C-alpha cells in the first residue's frame, strides 16, 4: 500500500488535459508533379483530408502547408495565432471544432502537417482511442493520394497542466494519478505502436520575472542582469540535483523552448524557437542553459526531463512528485506570493515514429 501511494501524484481536480497528434507527410517532386501548382495541390489535398476526417469522427483538424510549427494551448476561446515560424492554436477540447487550411500559395512546403486536436471530455483516458482513429484515418488517406510510398512521421503530444500552488489559493480538492507511459497505456488498450518508437517525458514551468523578484536580486538602474540569472540558475540546479533530477534546462532569451529527444531529432534553433535536446537513455547530468546577462526577459522557462528508468514500474508518479518537491524548494528562495501568483506545471508525454508501410496501406 505504501509503495502504491508513492507511485501516485496528487494533482488539483481542475487540472487541464490536452492531446494533439501531428502527421507530417514529406513533400516530394513526384507528389507535386500531379498538380499544376502548389495552391491546387494544397487545396485538393486539404479537401480530401477534411472529408475523410469527418468520416473518422476527427472533429478539429488543421492542415499546415507553410512549414510553421504547431503549438497547442488551452483557452476558453478558439483561435489560431500565426507568427513568422509558428501557429499557436488556442482552444477548449470540450467545445471547439474546426477544419482549416493554413497555407501560402506560392510556397513549396517541405512537409504537409496534419494537426489533429483531441475533442470531447476525458481526454487522457480516451487518448489511445484518439490515436487509433488517427492511424485508421492515415491508412485510408494514403492510398487515395496520387503518389505512393510517401513518408509519414507521427507525433503524439499529451499534456497535463495545473497550478503548483492551487492549495494556497483554496483549491483543496485533488485526484491521485498513477501515471504510466504512453506505450504502456496504449498497449493495455490494444493500440499498436511500432518497435523503436521514440518517447520523451518532461515538465516545463515558466517563472514570470515580476517586480519583487527583480528588485530583490538586481541593483537599481543596472544593465547587467547576470546576478539575477545566475541566482536562478544556481538555485534551480541545487534544487533539482537534491532530488536526483539530472536532465534540466533554463531558457531566458525570449525564445520558445521546444523539447525533443536528441537521439532521434535534430535540435537546431531558429529565430523564434530554442531547441532543447535530451536523450533519456543517458544517465549523466545533462544541463542546458540559454540566457544573456545583457538582456532582461519577462519570463524564464525551466525544463526537467525524465530518464528512461522514470517511465518504468510506475516511476512517472515518483518522478513528478520529485519534480514538485524540487520546484517548491526552488521557489522558496524567492519572493513569490503563492496565494496570488500561479506557477503552472506542464507535464508532457510525447511519442514519435515513422509510420510503417502496412499502416499506410503501402
Amino acid at each position: 500500500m505504501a509503495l502504491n501511494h508513492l507511485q501516485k501524484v496528487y494533482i488539483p481536480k481542475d487540472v487541464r488535459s490536452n492531446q494533439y497528434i501531428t502527421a507530417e507527410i514529406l513533400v516530394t517532386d513526384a507528389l507535386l508533379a500531379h498538380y499544376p501548382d502548389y495552391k491546387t495541390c494544397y487545396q485538393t489535398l486539404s479537401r480530401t483530408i477534411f472529408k475523410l476526417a469527418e468520416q473518422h469522427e476527427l472533429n478539429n483538424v488543421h492542415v499546415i502547408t507553410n512549414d510553421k510549427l504547431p503549438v497547442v494551448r488551452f483557452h476558453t476561446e478558439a483561435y489560431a495565432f500565426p507568427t513568422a515560424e509558428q501557429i499557436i492554436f488556442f482552444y477548449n477540447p470540450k467545445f471547439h471544432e474546426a477544419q482549416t487550411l493554413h497555407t501560402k500559395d506560392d510556397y513549396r512546403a517541405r512537409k504537409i502537417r496534419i494537426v489533429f486536436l483531441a475533442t470531447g471530455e476525458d481526454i487522457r483516458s480516451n487518448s489511445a482511442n484518439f490515436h487509433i482513429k488517427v492511424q485508421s484515418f492515415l491508412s485510408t488517406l494514403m492510398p487515395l493520394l496520387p503518389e505512393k510510398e510517401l513518408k509519414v512521421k507521427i507525433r503524439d503530444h499529451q499534456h497535463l497542466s495545473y497550478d503548483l500552488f492551487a492549495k494556497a489559493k483554496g483549491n483543496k480538492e485533488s485526484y491521485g494519478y498513477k501515471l504510466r507511459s504512453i506505450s504502456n497505456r496504449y498497449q493495455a488498450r490494444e493500440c499498436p505502436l511500432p518497435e523503436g518508437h521514440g518517447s520523451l517525458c518532461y515538465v516545463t514551468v515558466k517563472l514570470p520575472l515580476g517586480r519583487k523578484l527583480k528588485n530583490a536580486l538586481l541593483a537599481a538602474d543596472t544593465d547587467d542582469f547576470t546576478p539575477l540569472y545566475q541566482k536562478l540558475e544556481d538555485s534551480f540546479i541545487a534544487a533539482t540535483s537534491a532530488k536526483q533530477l539530472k536532465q534540466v534546462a533554463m531558457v531566458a532569451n525570449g525564445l520558445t523552448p521546444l523539447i525533443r529527444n536528441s537521439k532521434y531529432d535534430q535540435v537546431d534553433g531558429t529565430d523564434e524557437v530554442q531547441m532543447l535536446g535530451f536523450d533519456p537513455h543517458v544517465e549523466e547530468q545533462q544541463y542546458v542553459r540559454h540566457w544573456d546577462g545583457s538582456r532582461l526577459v519577462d519570463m524564464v522557462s525551466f525544463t526537467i526531463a525524465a530518464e528512461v528508468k522514470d517511465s518504468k514500474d510506475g516511476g512517472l508518479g515518483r518522478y513528478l512528485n520529485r519534480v514538485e518537491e524540487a520546484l517548491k524548494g526552488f521557489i522558496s528562495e524567492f519572493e513569490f506570493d503563492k496565494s496570488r501568483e500561479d506557477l503552472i506545471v506542464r507535464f508532457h508525454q510525447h511519442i514519435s515514429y515513422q509510420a510503417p508501410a502496412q499502416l499506410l496501406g503501402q
Side-chain angles (χ1 to χ4, degrees), residues 80-94:
F81 178 72
T83 69
E85 298 178 1
Q86 305 170 72
I87 301 178
I88 306 173
F89 296 104
F90 296 91
Y91 87 117
N92 185 333
K94 290 184 180 180

Side-chain angles (χ1 to χ4, degrees), residues 107-299:
Y107 175 79
R108 171 170 175 163
R110 292 184 296 106
K111 59 185 71 172
I112 295 172
R113 281 190 176 96
I114 311 173
V115 183
F116 307 89
L117 305 183
T119 56
E121 301 187 22
D122 300 322
I123 297 298
R124 188 172 179 86
S125 60
N126 290 320
S127 59
N129 291 333
F130 182 55
H131 195 100
I132 289 171
K133 282 185 180 181
V134 171
Q135 287 183 331
S136 177
F137 164 89
L138 289 171
S139 68
T140 308
L141 171 69
M142 299 310 291
L144 299 178
L145 300 186
E147 186 59 32
K148 311 306 177 187
E149 299 184 4
L150 293 170
K151 294 182 179 180
V152 181
K153 182 76 171 283
I154 298 174
R155 302 180 190 272
D156 190 331
H157 307 254
Q158 299 177 30
H159 311 155
L160 291 174
S161 56
Y162 58 95
D163 179 14
L164 183 63
F165 299 116
K167 287 185 178 180
K169 300 173 182 67
N171 302 325
K172 305 294 185 181
E173 288 189 285
S174 63
Y175 180 82
Y177 281 78
K178 187 176 179 181
L179 301 174
R180 294 185 296 164
S181 67
I182 290 179
S183 58
N184 287 345
R185 285 190 281 129
Y186 282 16
Q187 184 179 16
R189 296 180 181 267
E190 299 183 352
C191 176
L193 294 175
E195 290 289 335
H197 62 272
S199 65
L200 190 63
C201 298
Y202 59 91
V203 167
T204 59
V205 171
K206 292 183 178 179
L207 175 66
L209 294 184
R211 177 181 54 83
K212 289 189 296 183
L213 181 60
K214 288 185 286 190
N215 288 345
L217 298 178
L218 289 174
D221 302 322
T222 182
D223 292 325
D224 181 13
F225 309 110
T226 300
L228 169 64
Y229 295 143
Q230 194 63 62
K231 173 60 178 175
L232 290 172
E233 178 181 313
D234 292 343
S235 298
F236 179 60
I237 292 295
T240 52
S241 296
K243 297 301 176 180
Q244 293 77 50
L245 298 163
K246 300 177 182 178
Q247 304 189 23
V248 299
M250 171 180 162
V251 176
N253 56 9
L255 302 183
T256 301
L258 183 66
I259 294 84
R260 288 287 185 259
N261 188 323
S262 59
K263 184 177 180 180
Y264 298 98
D265 296 292
Q266 294 182 346
V267 289
D268 296 329
T270 69
D271 291 340
E272 291 186 4
V273 173
Q274 182 64 66
M275 299 294 289
L276 303 176
F278 294 102
D279 184 347
H281 294 84
V282 174
E283 295 186 359
E284 290 79 17
Q285 178 81 33
Q286 298 181 66
Y287 174 59
V288 185
R289 62 194 287 271
H290 294 281
W291 56 264
D292 180 355
S294 65
R295 179 185 180 190
L296 182 63
V297 296
D298 296 325
M299 192 87 65

Side-chain angles (χ1 to χ4, degrees), residues 26-153:
L26 193 64
V27 174
T28 64
D29 292 337
L31 175 64
L32 294 173
H34 293 276
Y35 305 94
D37 51 46
Y38 301 147
K39 179 179 180 179
T40 304
C41 174
Y42 304 151
Q43 290 183 341
T44 302
L45 290 178
S46 65
R47 283 195 293 267
T48 300
I49 289 167
F50 294 145
K51 181 179 180 180
L52 198 59
E54 208 166 313
Q55 295 172 9
H56 285 76
E57 299 180 332
L58 295 164
N59 300 321
N60 201 326
V61 180
H62 299 260
V63 177
I64 302 175
T65 62
N66 52 21
D67 286 327
K68 292 189 179 184
L69 181 73
V71 177
V72 179
R73 292 289 182 265
F74 176 91
H75 203 278
T76 52
E77 298 181 26
Y79 57 96
F81 178 72
T83 69
E85 298 178 1
Q86 305 170 72
I87 301 178
I88 306 173
F89 296 104
F90 296 91
Y91 87 117
N92 185 333
K94 290 184 180 180
F95 306 114
H96 298 142
E97 301 178 356
Q99 289 187 342
T100 309
L101 170 64
H102 306 267
T103 190
K104 185 177 179 181
D105 291 344
D106 298 324
Y107 175 79
R108 171 170 175 163
R110 292 184 296 106
K111 59 185 71 172
I112 295 172
R113 281 190 176 96
I114 311 173
V115 183
F116 307 89
L117 305 183
T119 56
E121 301 187 22
D122 300 322
I123 297 298
R124 188 172 179 86
S125 60
N126 290 320
S127 59
N129 291 333
F130 182 55
H131 195 100
I132 289 171
K133 282 185 180 181
V134 171
Q135 287 183 331
S136 177
F137 164 89
L138 289 171
S139 68
T140 308
L141 171 69
M142 299 310 291
L144 299 178
L145 300 186
E147 186 59 32
K148 311 306 177 187
E149 299 184 4
L150 293 170
K151 294 182 179 180
V152 181
K153 182 76 171 283

